């Protein structure tokens, strides 16, 4: 991204400038130059934390790119180990989706606590929410928001004046699902197509599991070669 974008971001989000800024709950600060660094864009916890609802709540951010494959994770704890050899940010709150549109606010109103973490979450517990954006150039951008779970934050945030000023989607901001290639490809269908090709070429075809297996392998090989 060009340095001029820095200024654009600064104009957009008064609090910080980066490839993307988390506005609710607030991120750690300006990480423009280091946002490529796992897991939190090169900034460590500065002691500041935002209250965030114990039952889950909104997450709002201002991205700059046309689109980004976006994942939201959480790590529980006061002092989350953030070395690169251990990934504590391995609890997924929102699985990877295609966030579309930039230079505006994007807000998911009801992000839930992962079921596996519910027993650990109660008022006063500290945690860090990580937002990851994989952008078209292949760069992964990281940004984190330090929180303390609160039983009263949902009510405060529920006030329409607060909600409407923080959690909205600007014009042209949206999202679409990423289909999972593993489940979207119908290998049976592929195998049958392969067999039909062989039939057309005059080969003897019997639908045994062996033929199907080799046919599948061939289909996958074709798929893989087409990817490159
Ligand atoms: C903590 O947040 C306050 C209020 O936003 C800010 O003035 C202060 O600089 C922050 N502290 C650090 C260490 O970033
Ligand atoms: C949570 O973080 C705050 C601010 O950094 C700190 O004062 C508090 O002791 C922490 N709470 C726990 C339970 O560690
Ligand atoms: C993601 O969204 C962008 C912008 O709408 C679109 O051009 C792109 O094809 C999408 N990519 C995938 C894999 O959904
Ligand atoms: C956001 O603004 C910057 C600077 O004007 C521009 O280069 C970029 O293309 C814009 N992004 C989108 C998605 O409009
Ligand atoms: C913003 O758009 C996303 C994706 O379409 C949607 O899930 C979300 O509910 C929208 N946010 C608001 C505040 O309407
Ligand atoms: C996959 O293709 C086969 C053969 O056409 C069909 O019978 C089956 O219903 C398909 N499966 C799915 C999940 O679409
Ligand atoms: Cu960028």
């Amino acid at each position: 991204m060009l340095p001029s974008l820095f200024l654009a971001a600064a104009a957009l989000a008064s609090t910080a400038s980066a490839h993307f800024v988390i506005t609710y709950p607030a991120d750690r600060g300006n990480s423009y130059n280091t946002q490529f660094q796992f897991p939190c864009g090169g900034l460590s916890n500065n002691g500041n934390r935002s209250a965030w609802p114990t039952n889950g709540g909104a997450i709002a951010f201002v991205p700059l790119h046309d689109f980004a494959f976006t994942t939201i994770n959480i790590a529980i704890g006061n002092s989350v180990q953030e070395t690169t050899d251990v990934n504590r940010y391995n609890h997924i709150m929102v699985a990877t989706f295609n966030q579309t549109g930039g230079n505006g606010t994007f807000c998911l109103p009801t992000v839930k606590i992962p079921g596996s973490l519910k027993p650990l979450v109660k008022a006063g517990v500290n945690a860090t929410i990580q937002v990851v954006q994989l952008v078209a150039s292949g760069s992964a951008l990281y940004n984190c928001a330090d929180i303390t779970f609160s039983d009263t934050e949902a009510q405060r945030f529920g006030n329409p004046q607060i909600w409407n000023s923080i959690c909205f989607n600007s014009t042209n901001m949206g999202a679409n699902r990423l289909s999972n290639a593993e489940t979207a490809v119908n290998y049976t269908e592929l195998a049958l197509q392969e067999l039909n090709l062989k039939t057309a070429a005059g080969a003897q075809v019997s639908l045994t599991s062996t033929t199907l297996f080799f046919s599948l392998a061939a289909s996958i090989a074709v798929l893989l070669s087409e990817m490159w």
Side-chain angles (χ1 to χ4, degrees):
M1 203 184 275
L2 299 168
S4 63
L5 288 192
F6 185 99
L7 298 173
L12 270 164
S14 55
T15 48
S17 311
H19 305 274
F20 73 99
V21 177
I22 311 174
T23 49
Y24 181 86
D27 62 22
R28 290 177 177 178
N30 182 351
S31 60
Y32 183 81
N33 290 319
T34 50
Q35 209 167 71
F36 303 106
Q37 289 177 26
F38 177 88
C40 289
L43 299 185
S44 47
N45 178 338
N46 60 25
N48 277 346
R49 292 182 178 278
S50 308
W52 201 71
T54 39
N55 290 323
I59 295 179
F61 51 94
V62 179
L64 289 189
H65 292 258
D66 290 345
F67 69 93
F69 300 158
T70 304
T71 313
I72 303 179
N73 300 311
I74 189 167
I76 300 282
N78 186 36
S79 178
V80 175
Q81 193 182 339
E82 294 182 353
T83 52
T84 47
D85 56 339
V86 179
N87 181 16
R88 292 283 317 281
Y89 293 92
N90 57 358
H91 294 277
I92 298 172
M93 300 183 101
V94 183
T96 309
F97 63 97
N98 187 6
Q99 179 272 311
T100 61
N103 295 333
T105 292
F106 177 82
C107 182
L108 295 175
T110 48
V111 176
K112 302 247 183 291
I113 313 289
S116 57
L117 292 181
K118 277 187 184 157
L120 301 177
V121 169
K122 59 179 195 311
V125 168
N126 289 332
T128 301
I129 294 172
Q130 176 200 49
V131 181
V132 184
Q133 289 215 304
L134 177 64
V135 302
S137 64
S139 299
L141 306 172
Y142 301 93
N143 209 340
C144 291
D146 297 304
I147 61 162
T148 301
F149 285 107
S150 157
D151 284 340
T152 54
E153 176 62 7
Q155 200 181 352
R156 185 194 75 89
F157 195 76
N159 175 336
Q161 275 189 328
I162 294 175
W163 175 283
N164 291 332
S165 65
I166 295 174
C167 189
F168 58 93
N169 285 337
S170 303
T171 316
N172 297 329
M173 304 298 288
N176 54 60
R177 284 177 203 285
L178 289 172
S179 61
N180 180 339
E182 284 301 314
T183 55
V185 173
N186 185 334
Y187 289 108
T188 308
E189 182 62 35
L190 269 177
L192 287 171
Q193 283 170 11
E194 190 79 12
L195 288 169
N196 287 340
L197 284 178
K198 282 178 184 163
T199 311
Q204 188 78 22
V205 170
S206 68
L207 249 180
T208 63
S209 54
T210 320
T211 357
L212 201 58
F213 174 80
F214 283 113
S215 180
L216 263 178
S219 306
I220 291 165
V222 166
L223 261 187
L224 288 177
S225 66
E226 280 174 353
M227 283 171 74
W228 306 99

